[in-house]
Amino acid sequence: MFGANLDAAVRFHDLLASAGVERGLIGPRETSRLWERHLLNCAVLAEAIPTGATVCDIGSGAGLPGLVLALHRPDLVVTLVEPLLRRVMFLDEAVAHLKLSQVEVVRARAEEQHGRAAYDVVTSRAVAPLGKLLGWSMPLVAPQGALLAIKGSTVAQELVDASAVVSRWTTATPEVLSLGVGVVQPPVTVLRLERRQPSG
Protein backbone atom coordinates (compact mmCIF):
# COMPACT_ATOMS: atom_id res chain seq x y z
CA MET A 1 0.00 0.00 0.00
CA PHE A 2 2.80 2.46 0.79
CA GLY A 3 4.75 1.69 -2.40
CA ALA A 4 8.10 3.48 -2.55
CA ASN A 5 7.44 4.88 0.93
CA LEU A 6 7.15 1.47 2.59
CA ASP A 7 10.49 1.89 4.36
CA ALA A 8 9.34 5.25 5.72
CA ALA A 9 6.06 3.71 6.85
CA VAL A 10 8.00 1.03 8.72
CA ARG A 11 10.11 3.74 10.38
CA PHE A 12 6.95 5.57 11.42
CA HIS A 13 5.55 2.32 12.83
CA ASP A 14 8.74 1.87 14.86
CA LEU A 15 8.59 5.49 16.04
CA LEU A 16 5.01 5.02 17.25
CA ALA A 17 5.96 1.78 19.02
CA SER A 18 8.86 3.46 20.83
CA ALA A 19 8.64 7.24 21.32
CA GLY A 20 4.88 7.22 20.75
CA VAL A 21 4.37 4.83 23.65
CA GLU A 22 6.99 6.50 25.88
CA ARG A 23 5.27 9.88 25.46
CA GLY A 24 1.79 8.53 26.04
CA LEU A 25 0.54 9.05 22.48
CA ILE A 26 -0.02 5.34 21.86
CA GLY A 27 -1.17 2.84 24.48
CA PRO A 28 1.33 0.05 25.15
CA ARG A 29 -1.29 -2.56 24.29
CA GLU A 30 -1.60 -1.07 20.81
CA THR A 31 1.95 -1.84 19.70
CA SER A 32 1.14 -5.34 18.45
CA ARG A 33 -1.67 -4.05 16.24
CA LEU A 34 -0.29 -0.76 14.98
CA TRP A 35 -0.39 -1.85 11.35
CA GLU A 36 -3.96 -3.05 11.09
CA ARG A 37 -5.64 -0.85 13.70
CA HIS A 38 -3.81 2.41 13.05
CA LEU A 39 -1.60 2.62 9.95
CA LEU A 40 -3.67 0.69 7.40
CA ASN A 41 -6.86 1.90 9.07
CA CYS A 42 -5.79 5.49 8.36
CA ALA A 43 -4.22 4.86 4.95
CA VAL A 44 -7.48 3.66 3.40
CA LEU A 45 -8.92 7.15 3.97
CA ALA A 46 -6.89 8.14 0.90
CA GLU A 47 -9.49 6.34 -1.25
CA ALA A 48 -11.76 9.36 -0.74
CA ILE A 49 -9.15 12.09 -1.32
CA PRO A 50 -8.58 13.54 -4.81
CA THR A 51 -5.16 13.75 -6.40
CA GLY A 52 -3.04 16.73 -5.35
CA ALA A 53 -5.42 17.83 -2.61
CA THR A 54 -4.53 20.06 0.30
CA VAL A 55 -5.37 18.25 3.54
CA CYS A 56 -5.75 19.58 7.07
CA ASP A 57 -5.74 16.97 9.83
CA ILE A 58 -7.20 18.44 13.02
CA GLY A 59 -6.33 17.07 16.44
CA SER A 60 -3.58 15.12 14.74
CA GLY A 61 -2.18 13.61 17.94
CA ALA A 62 0.37 11.00 16.91
CA GLY A 63 -0.15 11.80 13.22
CA LEU A 64 -3.17 9.59 12.67
CA PRO A 65 -4.41 9.92 10.00
CA GLY A 66 -2.43 12.93 8.70
CA LEU A 67 1.10 11.55 8.69
CA VAL A 68 -0.07 8.20 7.36
CA LEU A 69 -1.83 9.93 4.46
CA ALA A 70 1.34 11.88 3.66
CA LEU A 71 3.33 8.63 3.59
CA HIS A 72 0.76 6.80 1.49
CA ARG A 73 0.05 9.71 -0.88
CA PRO A 74 3.10 11.92 -1.57
CA ASP A 75 0.91 14.00 -3.93
CA LEU A 76 -0.97 15.45 -0.94
CA VAL A 77 0.04 18.64 0.86
CA VAL A 78 -0.76 17.97 4.51
CA THR A 79 -1.11 20.33 7.48
CA LEU A 80 -1.21 18.75 10.94
CA VAL A 81 -3.07 20.92 13.48
CA GLU A 82 -2.49 19.95 17.11
CA PRO A 83 -2.72 22.14 20.24
CA LEU A 84 -0.71 20.08 22.76
CA LEU A 85 3.02 20.80 22.88
CA ARG A 86 4.22 17.25 23.59
CA ARG A 87 2.28 15.98 20.59
CA VAL A 88 3.54 18.82 18.39
CA MET A 89 7.12 18.00 19.38
CA PHE A 90 6.56 14.36 18.41
CA LEU A 91 5.01 15.38 15.08
CA ASP A 92 7.87 17.78 14.30
CA GLU A 93 10.41 15.05 15.03
CA ALA A 94 8.49 12.49 12.96
CA VAL A 95 8.20 14.82 9.96
CA ALA A 96 11.95 15.53 10.09
CA HIS A 97 12.84 11.85 10.63
CA LEU A 98 10.66 10.74 7.72
CA LYS A 99 11.74 13.66 5.48
CA LEU A 100 8.17 14.63 4.62
CA SER A 101 8.72 18.00 2.98
CA GLN A 102 5.04 18.33 2.02
CA VAL A 103 3.90 18.24 5.67
CA GLU A 104 3.54 21.26 7.97
CA VAL A 105 2.90 21.02 11.71
CA VAL A 106 0.88 23.86 13.29
CA ARG A 107 0.46 24.18 17.04
CA ALA A 108 -3.06 25.53 17.43
CA ARG A 109 -6.63 24.62 18.14
CA ALA A 110 -8.64 24.12 14.96
CA GLU A 111 -10.84 27.13 15.68
CA GLU A 112 -7.74 29.36 15.88
CA GLN A 113 -7.10 28.57 12.21
CA HIS A 114 -10.53 29.72 11.03
CA GLY A 115 -10.14 32.42 8.39
CA ARG A 116 -6.41 31.78 7.98
CA ALA A 117 -6.54 28.96 5.47
CA ALA A 118 -8.95 26.66 3.64
CA TYR A 119 -8.31 23.10 2.48
CA ASP A 120 -9.70 20.69 -0.07
CA VAL A 121 -10.11 18.06 2.64
CA VAL A 122 -10.25 18.29 6.44
CA THR A 123 -9.68 14.99 8.25
CA SER A 124 -10.07 13.79 11.82
CA ARG A 125 -10.02 10.59 13.83
CA ALA A 126 -11.55 10.20 17.29
CA VAL A 127 -11.46 13.95 17.94
CA ALA A 128 -14.96 14.86 19.12
CA PRO A 129 -18.68 14.12 18.71
CA LEU A 130 -20.00 15.29 15.37
CA GLY A 131 -21.73 18.42 16.66
CA LYS A 132 -18.48 19.86 18.01
CA LEU A 133 -16.39 18.45 15.17
CA LEU A 134 -18.38 20.29 12.51
CA GLY A 135 -17.94 23.61 14.27
CA TRP A 136 -14.18 23.10 14.38
CA SER A 137 -13.75 21.56 10.92
CA MET A 138 -16.18 23.04 8.43
CA PRO A 139 -14.80 26.62 8.54
CA LEU A 140 -11.49 25.11 7.36
CA VAL A 141 -13.05 23.35 4.36
CA ALA A 142 -12.76 25.22 1.07
CA PRO A 143 -15.89 25.64 -1.06
CA GLN A 144 -16.41 22.39 -2.96
CA GLY A 145 -14.13 20.66 -0.45
CA ALA A 146 -15.12 18.05 2.10
CA LEU A 147 -14.78 16.90 5.67
CA LEU A 148 -13.68 13.27 6.10
CA ALA A 149 -14.13 12.01 9.64
CA ILE A 150 -13.20 8.48 10.64
CA LYS A 151 -16.13 7.31 12.73
CA GLY A 152 -17.41 4.11 14.26
CA SER A 153 -20.68 2.21 14.15
CA THR A 154 -22.53 5.04 15.93
CA VAL A 155 -22.16 7.46 13.02
CA ALA A 156 -25.84 7.23 12.03
CA GLN A 157 -26.91 8.21 15.54
CA GLU A 158 -24.33 11.02 15.60
CA LEU A 159 -25.88 12.40 12.42
CA VAL A 160 -29.30 12.35 14.07
CA ASP A 161 -28.01 13.99 17.24
CA ALA A 162 -26.14 16.68 15.28
CA SER A 163 -28.83 17.30 12.64
CA ALA A 164 -29.35 20.90 13.78
CA VAL A 165 -25.63 21.61 13.41
CA VAL A 166 -25.44 19.86 10.04
CA SER A 167 -28.33 22.00 8.78
CA ARG A 168 -26.41 25.18 9.59
CA TRP A 169 -23.82 24.27 6.98
CA THR A 170 -24.53 24.29 3.27
CA THR A 171 -23.52 20.75 2.47
CA ALA A 172 -24.65 17.97 0.23
CA THR A 173 -26.40 15.00 1.80
CA PRO A 174 -23.97 13.42 4.30
CA GLU A 175 -22.35 10.25 2.99
CA VAL A 176 -21.25 7.33 5.15
CA LEU A 177 -18.45 5.55 3.32
CA SER A 178 -17.04 2.09 3.93
CA LEU A 179 -13.35 2.26 2.96
CA GLY A 180 -10.64 -0.36 2.81
CA VAL A 181 -12.83 -3.28 1.77
CA GLY A 182 -10.46 -6.21 1.28
CA VAL A 183 -7.64 -4.29 2.97
CA VAL A 184 -8.77 -3.98 6.59
CA GLN A 185 -11.35 -5.95 8.51
CA PRO A 186 -13.79 -4.52 9.30
CA PRO A 187 -13.70 -1.74 6.69
CA VAL A 188 -13.32 1.81 8.00
CA THR A 189 -16.48 3.88 8.48
CA VAL A 190 -15.95 7.44 7.27
CA LEU A 191 -18.37 10.34 7.29
CA ARG A 192 -18.05 12.65 4.28
CA LEU A 193 -19.64 16.09 4.30
CA GLU A 194 -19.17 18.27 1.24
CA ARG A 195 -19.12 22.01 1.68
CA ARG A 196 -20.88 23.85 -1.12
CA GLN A 197 -20.77 27.45 0.09
CA PRO A 198 -18.88 29.41 2.75
CA SER A 199 -20.92 29.77 5.92
CA GLY A 200 -22.92 32.93 6.34
Side-chain angles (χ1 to χ4, degrees):
M1 176 172 282
F2 289 95
N5 275 347
L6 178 58
D7 286 346
V10 171
R11 292 201 306 276
F12 183 46
H13 167 278
D14 294 345
L15 194 61
L16 289 173
S18 54
V21 172
E22 291 162 10
R23 301 185 191 187
L25 304 182
I26 296 289
R29 294 182 181 178
E30 296 298 303
T31 55
S32 63
R33 50 186 184 178
L34 279 172
W35 280 112
E36 63 270 23
R37 188 179 174 112
H38 298 287
L39 296 173
L40 295 178
N41 190 276
C42 290
V44 298
L45 188 60
E47 294 176 18
I49 300 178
T51 301
T54 57
V55 177
C56 178
D57 184 35
I58 70 164
S60 199
L64 304 169
L67 268 180
V68 176
L69 290 171
L71 286 166
H72 178 39
R73 289 275 303 277
D75 60 293
L76 303 177
V77 177
V78 179
T79 301
L80 309 177
V81 176
E82 170 56 52
L84 295 183
L85 179 59
R86 65 185 174 89
R87 295 176 180 172
V88 168
M89 290 175 66
F90 174 84
L91 293 172
D92 279 333
E93 291 167 17
V95 168
H97 179 63
L98 300 170
K99 299 184 167 118
L100 294 172
S101 60
Q102 83 279 28
V103 178
E104 178 187 13
V105 180
V106 176
R107 185 187 178 193
R109 296 192 303 272
E111 57 268 36
E112 293 172 338
Q113 297 301 103
H114 294 174
R116 295 185 179 184
Y119 304 86
D120 299 321
V121 176
V122 175
T123 61
S124 60
R125 181 181 192 239
V127 170
L130 185 58
K132 283 187 177 180
L133 186 65
L134 290 177
W136 295 340
S137 300
M138 293 306 285
L140 296 171
V141 179
Q144 308 302 321
L147 170 145
L148 292 175
I150 297 177
K151 288 288 184 180
S153 59
T154 62
V155 63
Q157 186 59 51
E158 283 197 62
L159 279 167
V160 171
D161 295 342
S163 59
V165 180
V166 172
S167 69
R168 287 204 294 267
W169 296 96
T170 309
T171 63
T173 301
E175 297 176 80
V176 178
L177 310 176
S178 189
L179 304 182
V181 176
V183 178
V184 291
Q185 184 59 39
V188 180
T189 300
V190 174
L191 175 65
R192 183 180 187 276
L193 284 174
E194 182 177 336
R195 183 173 179 182
R196 296 296 184 91
Q197 301 275 346
S199 60

